[in-house]
Amino acid sequence: MKKKTIVIVDDHLLFAQSLESLISKLEKYEVLAILKNGKELTQYFKHKRKKPDLILLDVKMPVMDGVQTMQWLKKNKPDQKALALTMEDDEETIIRMLRSGAKGYLLKDIHPENFEFAMKMVIEQGFYYSGKIESALRNSEDLAETINLHEKLTDKERIFLKYACSELTYKDIAEEMHLSPKTIENYREAVFKKLEVKTRVGLVIYCIKNKLFVV
């Protein structure tokens, strides 16, 4: 059986080695390399080393961080699949990672079984999403069944949704829409409820998965 190949990019050596050890115990996967930052990853590719099935990419790294690395991959290796790794739910950074082409994100305290599932989903299906996002999409076969924006959302909510999928803060969105922060908060709660998501990151993943906006 041909194993799926993984490259780990993380500046925390102990974590990276633990991750490699975990992956080595999974019979369907093997680690090709452990790299400390995005710069080392660019050198990896420049030396024409084997393209992995998946890159596990830390977000906060010195020299060349996760966002910069994803931007490089998007330009130079657009078909390369990568999953973002993070210690915290840093909403703004995760959104930037997703908009730059990451196929999902994992918290570093993820359960091993969920970790294996996430890798499988990205390699085989092209994206990893979880929780309410998965529940909302599980029974749908196409975009029309998943969401009809013109029926579910008001005009203002659709405008808010587009801004919410950008890197703007909620304060910035209020200024762009010429509305009060309280009104934006109401739009946020309404959109979350209608699309059955709990967080802004979940909203962005939902929109990317369903190709609602070009990101």
Side-chain angles (χ1 to χ4, degrees):
M1 178 184 65
K2 185 178 179 181
K3 293 189 175 184
K4 299 298 183 182
T5 54
I6 310 294
V7 165
I8 299 169
V9 185
D10 196 302
D11 65 312
H12 293 95
L13 184 59
L14 184 60
F15 174 81
Q17 289 178 338
S18 297
L19 196 57
E20 180 186 30
S21 177
L22 172 62
I23 293 171
S24 69
K25 295 176 183 177
L26 305 175
E27 62 179 33
K28 296 181 180 180
Y29 302 91
E30 65 175 333
V31 175
L32 296 178
I34 296 177
L35 308 172
K36 293 195 294 291
N37 53 60
K39 187 67 175 178
E40 289 193 3
L41 181 65
T42 65
Q43 294 301 314
Y44 175 95
F45 282 115
K46 286 176 181 177
H47 285 92
K48 298 182 178 179
R49 295 181 65 184
K50 183 178 179 181
K51 175 180 176 291
D53 292 300
L54 179 65
I55 294 172
L56 297 173
L57 182 61
D58 191 11
V59 175
K60 295 182 178 180
M61 299 178 290
V63 184
M64 189 171 176
D65 65 19
V67 173
Q68 293 169 322
T69 304
M70 279 309 315
Q71 291 169 345
W72 185 90
L73 287 170
K74 189 174 184 178
K75 180 179 179 180
N76 296 278
K77 301 287 180 180
D79 61 339
Q80 175 64 62
K81 296 174 181 176
L83 258 174
L85 291 172
T86 181
M87 287 291 292
E88 303 174 2
D89 272 316
D90 183 341
E91 191 173 79
E92 181 180 345
T93 302
I94 293 170
I95 289 173
R96 290 177 67 197
M97 289 289 288
L98 295 172
R99 287 175 59 85
S100 297
K103 302 303 182 183
Y105 79 99
L106 303 175
L107 295 177
K108 288 186 175 181
D109 62 354
I110 189 171
H111 190 280
E113 289 183 3
N114 294 336
F115 170 69
E116 183 178 6
F117 174 75
M119 292 196 299
K120 175 182 172 66
M121 286 297 296
V122 172
I123 292 172
E124 296 183 3
Q125 304 295 327
F127 213 87
Y128 168 71
Y129 50 91
S130 61
K132 285 251 180 177
I133 303 168
E134 182 178 358
S135 298
L137 298 177
R138 183 177 297 142
N139 297 320
S140 63
E141 296 180 356
D142 57 37
L143 179 59
E145 290 180 356
T146 303
I147 177 173
N148 185 324
L149 283 177
H150 293 284
E151 290 183 2
K152 278 198 172 184
L153 305 181
T154 66
D155 290 342
K156 288 288 189 180
E157 287 171 348
R158 289 196 295 274
I159 294 170
F160 165 80
L161 180 60
K162 188 170 184 177
Y163 281 129
C165 289
S166 74
E167 297 167 25
L168 295 176
T169 65
Y170 286 123
K171 181 181 178 181
D172 293 336
I173 295 172
E175 292 177 357
E176 289 289 332
M177 294 182 69
H178 306 290
L179 297 170
S180 70
K182 179 62 177 177
T183 301
I184 293 301
E185 182 179 335
N186 291 337
Y187 285 154
R188 181 191 65 195
E189 295 303 318
V191 171
F192 281 11
K193 183 176 181 179
K194 290 178 180 180
L195 300 189
E196 299 182 64
V197 298
K198 291 183 177 180
T199 67
R200 185 175 177 183
V201 172
L203 185 68
V204 173
I205 293 175
Y206 190 105
C207 290
I208 292 174
K209 176 69 179 177
N210 289 282
K211 301 178 181 178
L212 299 183
F213 300 110
V214 177
V215 295

